Amino acid sequence: MTHPHLPGIWSAVLSALLFSGLTHAADVELRLLETTDLHMNLLSYDYYQDKPTDQFGLARTATLIKAARAEKPNTLLIDNGDLLQGNPLGDYVAKVKPLASGQVHPAFKVMNQLGYDVANLGNHEFDFGLPFLRQAIATASFPYVNANVFLPAAAGDGRREHAFTPYVILDRQVIDTAGARHGIKIGVIGFAPPQIMQWNRGHLMGRVSAEDMVEVARRLVPEMRAKGAQLVVAVPHSGIERTPTGPNAENGVGGLAEVPGIDAILFGHSHAEFPGRAFATFPKVDVARGTINGVAAVMPGRWGDHLGVIDLKLNNDSGLWKVVASQSSIRPIFDRDTKKSVAQDDPMVERSVGAEHAGTLEYVRGKVAFSAAPIYSYFALVEDDPSVQIVSNAQIAYVKRALVGTPHAGLPVLSAAAPFKAGGRQGWGYFTDIPAGPLAIKHTADLYIYPNTVKAVLLTGAQVREWLEMSAGQFNQIKPGAEGGAPEQAIVNTAFPSFNFDTIDGVQYELDLTQPAKYAVNGSLAQPTASPQPNRVKNLRFDGRPIDPQARFVVATNNYRAYGGGNFPDLKADKVILDAPDENRQALIEYLQMSDALAPNKQVNPQADGNWRILPVPGVKMTFLSAAKATVYLPKHPNIKLLKDNGDGSALYQLGN
């Protein structure tokens, strides 16, 4: 016989189970929000142009963050890194008026209020040294993670300790689609490029070491699962390559997507936008869903110009939480088609960092010299350029002074420098454009945007040639018209970063783009079996004569390049003969002040000396893209002409006639 109270008892038990979260859940929608590569662009302000902007800044991303949260009940907000360095505000806080003990870093004055859940360390977090880094992130009200940077080995046992918290497991309450609450443990693990050991050797060598991201992930993701993580989010400050990468890859996201147990990847470093058309041909990528090898992934540009969004649908019908569907997207703060802002400033940001902003403006407006001519980088990828020339001149002057009284004092000093602001995926406003007139600190930061330090390497003439061959990877191969080449061909390889396009002053040379590139981006020979090897560098001369392959040269550069950044042949620590503590930017300031004082008219006259050029190719119009506003300078460039204004801020130009 049925007990008369049994149905009521079971109803009560079932109700209790539902509200305790012990039954299988209905679907749960979890939204992951990502910012990355903010580079201290907290406000919608361009310190180099000294004016407001509507195209970047966390103040506008904050509005998107609040809107995205309002749409979904379950959200996590995560920053991927490269936060603390990148514009004059970052320099001001780290070096001009350093943080006082107990003072909250301005980035965290904002991010603490936005309620970030966790953040990862990028490579540029290490630019100001470990003490500053630790002091700054200690003022964050949320945890920081990094799993692949280690302290030196412990004596005797060989075990190493993580330099930072490798991962966190967040206990969160989520609401399912039926309105019931459930507990879930979400693991978040972070990574930085192992190349920090090259790029910031002076700050890190002997203090920490870095391991391959993928190998560390393979060790730790199972550990996270064993400790209760029901969902694992990887936050690598790393990009993705079209082709497979090897050990210690800088851009290792493809490999991380192959690691079992990772449910989502929030990535960055490359300043690119994923999902997006640029990645449509990458293997195992679905740009419609925003997945890599089936794993949900997102990369939201740089400087807060986009917010990354991953919407995960979770279910635990099997007894374990699993991702059963996902959709990744990026939300812009500026509509490039309509050229209108789609996100207003959140006033909280300016209220929070107004004092630091005012101090930065006072700092960057300080005059250092006076220029008789404008300085711009619109054509820096195709012609010798005044914005690069003036940096090279400053580096040569600095190194010559530093070598006085040393065994290398009598050697010729060359200089390698690259155009840092050259448009492309950074946008058609991303160029140096300094008018004639007073030169202030903000202009030197515009000419040299990184806090690199001056280094000099000792090389042979043959090694100088190989340096230039690597740089020449900036260009596509051009097929002459007589060989069936198209009448119009683009010359700039947009996959090659402009900061690796070193030109070397002190020698003269030409580039023959009918030849294939000698080196791949990773520094290996592009055609290892070719004999003879292709060579784009022609007529390389020093002092008017063909360069002696055995002659010795001192080449002024920066710490990034001297210690292997960019994978240039022969460049490594054993070539460094001058390990200066001063920033390249400070060397530039000193040079401008000296030039201003010594010039007869008390003015700097920035002019490129024309020591290199691209050889014409018969029967081919060699074209390239630059900013449309560069047309005002065309009278100064008889070898360049406008072909078409594209109407989006860019224009198509022709090199040669």
Side-chain angles (χ1 to χ4, degrees):
M1 187 174 77
T2 303
H3 194 285
H5 299 296
L6 196 55
I9 292 172
W10 280 112
S11 176
V13 170
L14 180 60
S15 176
L17 288 172
L18 278 170
F19 285 98
S20 67
L22 296 177
T23 62
H24 296 321
D27 292 333
V28 166
E29 296 175 349
L30 176 65
R31 172 167 284 180
L32 306 177
L33 303 176
E34 181 198 13
T35 56
T36 189
D37 296 276
L38 291 170
H39 287 286
M40 283 302 290
N41 287 289
L42 307 179
L43 293 157
S44 303
Y45 200 87
D46 185 334
Y47 290 103
Y48 304 117
Q49 298 296 319
D50 201 358
K51 64 182 182 182
T53 179
D54 55 7
Q55 298 190 37
F56 57 81
L58 182 58
R60 292 177 186 268
T61 330
T63 301
L64 298 184
I65 290 169
K66 292 178 178 179
R69 279 173 165 161
E71 296 165 2
K72 299 286 183 180
N74 312 307
T75 62
L76 290 181
L77 176 59
I78 299 174
D79 184 70
N80 191 307
D82 273 13
L83 167 70
L84 300 177
Q85 178 278 335
N87 72 7
L89 174 59
D91 297 338
Y92 179 79
V93 175
K95 296 202 166 187
V96 179
K97 190 177 180 182
L99 287 179
S101 177
Q103 181 183 356
V104 178
H105 190 284
F108 301 124
K109 288 184 179 181
V110 175
M111 295 170 76
N112 290 347
Q113 292 183 75
L114 285 174
Y116 276 77
D117 291 277
V118 64
N120 177 49
L121 296 175
N123 54 287
H124 283 290
E125 258 66 72
F126 298 91
D127 283 357
F128 299 124
L130 287 169
F132 176 81
L133 170 56
R134 294 192 186 281
Q135 178 190 8
I137 65 175
T139 64
S141 62
F142 47 89
Y144 259 87
V145 291
N146 172 275
N148 68 319
V149 178
F150 295 85
L151 296 174
D157 61 10
R159 291 183 301 169
R160 290 176 308 153
E161 181 183 351
H162 288 277
F164 302 90
T165 302
Y167 57 80
V168 292
I169 298 177
L170 306 173
D171 282 299
R172 292 292 186 265
Q173 290 286 312
V174 292
I175 302 172
D176 68 24
T177 53
R181 289 185 175 275
H182 307 271
I184 185 170
K185 294 181 182 292
I186 304 170
V188 183
I189 184 169
F191 305 94
Q195 287 72 19
I196 59 171
M197 299 306 301
Q198 299 171 2
W199 303 335
N200 273 300
R201 178 186 175 90
H203 289 311
L204 303 182
M205 191 58 63
R207 299 174 177 87
V208 295
S209 61
E211 283 193 11
D212 178 81
M213 291 179 275
V214 176
E215 289 305 309
V216 172
R218 291 189 184 278
R219 292 201 306 266
L220 293 187
V221 169
E223 179 180 305
M224 296 169 70
R225 292 283 185 177
K227 289 184 177 180
Q230 297 158 291
L231 184 75
V232 173
V233 179
V235 191
H237 194 81
S238 180
I240 182 172
E241 299 285 357
R242 189 187 304 273
T243 56
T245 55
N248 293 309
E250 175 183 349
N251 294 308
V253 168
L256 286 171
E258 305 276 351
V259 175
I262 291 178
D263 296 294
I265 299 175
L266 308 180
F267 66 117
H269 183 56
S270 301
H271 292 202
E273 297 159 17
F274 183 93
R277 288 176 297 177
F279 297 93
T281 61
F282 279 47
K284 300 185 179 182
V285 164
D286 182 338
V287 294
R289 287 182 54 215
T291 61
I292 303 170
N293 192 40
V295 179
V298 75
M299 172 170 52
R302 86 289 187 257
W303 306 353
D305 63 354
H306 290 78
L307 175 67
V309 180
I310 295 180
D311 285 314
L312 300 175
K313 183 178 179 181
L314 310 178
N315 183 276
N316 75 344
D317 282 346
S318 66
L320 299 172
W321 287 105
K322 291 184 178 180
V323 176
V324 295
S326 69
Q327 181 61 58
S328 304
S329 61
I330 52 175
R331 298 185 179 185
I333 67 170
F334 184 83
D335 189 316
R336 292 167 182 162
D337 294 329
T338 63
K339 299 181 176 62
K340 291 182 179 178
S341 170
V342 292
Q344 297 303 307
D345 278 328
D346 185 328
M348 174 273 292
V349 179
E350 186 162 5
R351 288 197 304 267
S352 300
V353 299
E356 291 90 345
H357 175 59
T360 302
L361 290 179
E362 182 181 5
Y363 161 63
V364 300
R365 290 168 178 169
K367 180 181 177 293
V368 295
F370 193 95
S371 178
I375 308 172
Y376 50 89
S377 64
Y378 294 116
F379 306 125
L381 296 183
V382 298
E383 280 192 342
D384 197 18
D385 173 78
S387 72
V388 178
Q389 181 78 56
I390 201 165
V391 170
S392 268
N393 292 349
Q395 291 179 172
I396 288 173
Y398 181 99
V399 170
K400 282 185 174 179
R401 292 196 304 272
L403 292 182
V404 171
T406 73
H408 302 106
L411 294 176
V413 177
L414 314 178
S415 175
F420 295 138
K421 299 181 71 174
R425 66 185 178 201
Q426 308 282 21
W428 298 114
Y430 192 65
F431 292 91
T432 295
D433 191 348
I434 303 169
L439 291 175
I441 295 292
K442 64 184 178 184
H443 298 128
T444 64
D446 195 2
L447 288 163
Y448 207 104
I449 64 177
Y450 300 110
N452 294 336
T453 52
V454 180
K455 301 292 177 275
V457 294
L458 181 63
L459 299 178
T460 65
Q463 290 168 330
V464 169
R465 177 182 290 277
E466 297 311 298
W467 190 329
L468 292 171
E469 288 287 356
M470 181 68 186
S471 286
Q474 180 69 77
F475 303 104
N476 298 322
Q477 184 178 4
I478 305 299
K479 189 173 184 179
E483 298 176 12
E488 186 174 298
Q489 298 178 47
I491 61 174
V492 175
N493 175 8
T494 56
F496 192 98
S498 69
F499 57 76
N500 280 341
F501 177 51
D502 286 345
T503 57
I504 295 185
D505 270 288
V507 292
Q508 303 80 43
Y509 57 99
E510 297 170 321
L511 299 176
D512 178 5
L513 303 189
T514 66
Q515 297 293 304
K518 185 172 184 177
Y519 291 101
V521 174
N522 64 4
S524 65
L525 290 173
Q527 302 180 48
T529 61
S531 181
Q533 281 290 309
N535 288 284
R536 287 180 163 181
V537 178
K538 307 295 182 184
N539 302 317
L540 178 59
R541 294 175 174 268
F542 172 72
D543 225 7
R545 295 185 296 275
I547 198 165
D548 180 353
Q550 302 303 317
R552 296 194 305 161
F553 296 89
V554 174
V555 186
T557 182
N558 57 54
N559 60 293
Y560 172 80
R561 185 71 75 237
Y563 290 121
N567 304 307
F568 279 62
D570 301 310
L571 292 183
K572 56 187 72 173
D574 63 356
K575 297 294 192 297
V576 176
I577 61 164
L578 175 64
D579 190 359
D582 294 321
E583 291 186 1
N584 297 69
R585 192 183 305 162
Q586 183 59 36
L588 176 59
I589 291 171
E590 292 174 1
Y591 173 77
L592 290 172
Q593 291 173 327
M594 179 179 66
S595 299
D596 191 32
L598 298 180
N601 60 358
K602 302 291 184 181
Q603 295 182 2
V604 174
N605 188 17
Q607 297 290 336
D609 62 12
N611 70 302
W612 69 273
R613 71 174 185 129
I614 295 172
L615 292 170
V617 178
V620 176
K621 284 184 179 179
M622 295 191 292
T623 64
F624 65 97
L625 291 170
S626 187
K629 65 173 64 175
T631 55
V632 299
Y633 295 115
L634 284 178
K636 295 176 176 286
H637 299 271
N639 202 37
I640 296 174
K641 67 179 180 181
L642 174 69
L643 294 180
K644 179 186 177 184
D645 188 322
N646 295 319
D648 61 355
S650 72
L652 184 67
Y653 297 89
Q654 178 182 340
L655 177 67
N657 298 311

